[in-house]
Amino acid sequence: MGRSRDNRRRAAAEAVVEAVEGGLAELIPDPDRARAWSLLIDGAPQSHVDLDDPAHLSFEYQRRIGHVIDLAAPPGKPVQAVHLGGGALTLARYTAATRPRSTQQVVERDAALVQLVRRELPLDPGARIRVRSADAREGLAKVPDGWADLIVADVFSGARTPAHLTSTEFLDEVRRALRPGGVYTANLADGPPLAHLRAQIATAAPRFAGLALIADPAVLRGKRFGNAILVASDSPLPLAELTRRAASDPHPARLEHGAKLMDFTGGAAPVTDTSAVASPAPPPSVFR
């Protein structure tokens, strides 16, 4: 009990708090890991980084994306990756640690956040990670045709995915930048009645032959607000291994694909630039 109190005092004393373009950023030290930190923006958890062990993924949604990264190419093989949304650069660090010599581009709009993270949580100088301060879609448009083996989208503004990153036109840009057989994965957030999530599946389905969704069963049933991980490719996905990894996680998840996933859309219409809206804001209880 005394140690827990000391840890809380240590975290409070050593936290780094700074205004960035997206709100108030807080870097909170992890009391259980010597050089690990959590990033919060306006109180909403964004990322967790362990500088001593960048292959450690603390947040459940990031572990699920980690499974996708692990299976996007043979183990250890370098990839060319684009990360839309940077946060504390957790997933770029993970890719660099698990796939050395990978070439990565990170597009993060919040230049002040990038500066904070670079200063307080410096990147391994040997990692081939280029960080560009730009809007995610504008940055994606500068990626050469067929350049990326992997595109990861984890973009939130005020805890909501911006509308222009939810449309068919955006996914057309994703398809253009992916090489044949490349993998796209996106962190989506929604709650009951899951209208946003259903529409995102309906938007992706005509553009990717391989499509899957990984989420907590309670989220898929519309029982609570949470994250869901979209996985897409123009080639077959490693569904059996993704399913096994999702189910064996400390926070087990379910993978949906095929006819069940199409049934999940409930007849939702694809989203276009003219009809797109931002994802719903999470209820305040999510971050308590």
Side-chain angles (χ1 to χ4, degrees), residues 169-180:
E169 291 88 345
F170 168 68
L171 288 184
D172 286 342
E173 274 294 294
V174 170
R175 282 294 309 266
R176 179 199 60 76
L178 277 176
R179 68 160 178 82

Side-chain angles (χ1 to χ4, degrees), residues 127-207:
R128 300 177 181 179
I129 301 173
R130 177 188 176 191
V131 185
R132 177 186 299 159
S133 295
D135 172 79
R137 189 154 157 184
E138 291 175 3
L140 179 62
K142 295 180 180 178
V143 175
D145 293 1
W147 183 85
D149 300 298
L150 172 70
I151 296 177
V152 179
D154 185 15
V155 185
F156 288 86
S157 176
R160 304 176 71 184
T161 302
H164 69 300
L165 304 182
T166 68
S167 66
T168 57
E169 291 88 345
F170 168 68
L171 288 184
D172 286 342
E173 274 294 294
V174 170
R175 282 294 309 266
R176 179 199 60 76
L178 277 176
R179 68 160 178 82
V183 176
Y184 171 63
T185 184
N187 178 26
L188 309 175
D190 200 8
L194 300 180
H196 173 71
L197 199 51
R198 298 181 201 279
Q200 287 303 286
I201 299 301
T203 304
R207 279 155 181 78

Side-chain angles (χ1 to χ4, degrees), residues 47-281:
S47 306
H48 180 278
V49 168
D50 188 334
L51 296 177
D52 289 332
D53 182 12
H56 172 76
L57 298 176
S58 179
F59 291 1
E60 60 187 62
Y61 90 85
Q62 290 184 328
R63 286 200 302 275
R64 290 165 190 165
I65 294 178
H67 299 325
V68 177
I69 295 171
D70 290 346
L71 298 173
K77 180 181 178 181
V79 296
Q80 296 186 161
V82 177
H83 300 263
L84 305 177
L89 309 177
T90 304
L91 293 170
R93 298 173 201 263
Y94 178 85
T95 304
T98 58
R99 298 185 175 280
R101 303 181 309 283
S102 291
T103 301
Q104 301 187 74
Q105 299 182 36
V106 178
V107 184
E108 170 57 59
R109 183 171 188 166
D110 195 328
L113 176 61
V114 171
Q115 291 177 357
L116 171 65
V117 169
R118 279 187 177 280
R119 186 184 74 235
E120 300 293 337
L121 309 176
L123 286 166
D124 180 340
R128 300 177 181 179
I129 301 173
R130 177 188 176 191
V131 185
R132 177 186 299 159
S133 295
D135 172 79
R137 189 154 157 184
E138 291 175 3
L140 179 62
K142 295 180 180 178
V143 175
D145 293 1
W147 183 85
D149 300 298
L150 172 70
I151 296 177
V152 179
D154 185 15
V155 185
F156 288 86
S157 176
R160 304 176 71 184
T161 302
H164 69 300
L165 304 182
T166 68
S167 66
T168 57
E169 291 88 345
F170 168 68
L171 288 184
D172 286 342
E173 274 294 294
V174 170
R175 282 294 309 266
R176 179 199 60 76
L178 277 176
R179 68 160 178 82
V183 176
Y184 171 63
T185 184
N187 178 26
L188 309 175
D190 200 8
L194 300 180
H196 173 71
L197 199 51
R198 298 181 201 279
Q200 287 303 286
I201 299 301
T203 304
R207 279 155 181 78
F208 295 97
L211 192 64
L213 189 68
I214 306 170
D216 184 300
V219 173
L220 291 175
R221 291 196 300 268
K223 298 295 186 183
R224 68 172 181 85
F225 194 98
N227 299 91
I229 304 305
L230 175 74
V231 190
S233 177
D234 63 2
S235 298
L237 295 169
L239 295 172
E241 184 61 16
L242 275 174
T243 299
R244 187 191 70 77
R245 292 186 182 214
S248 61
D249 190 84
H251 295 275
R254 194 168 82 218
L255 182 143
E256 294 288 10
H257 67 97
K260 282 190 175 181
L261 187 56
M262 292 305 96
D263 289 345
F264 173 80
T265 66
V271 176
T272 66
D273 277 346
T274 57
S275 64
V277 297
S279 66

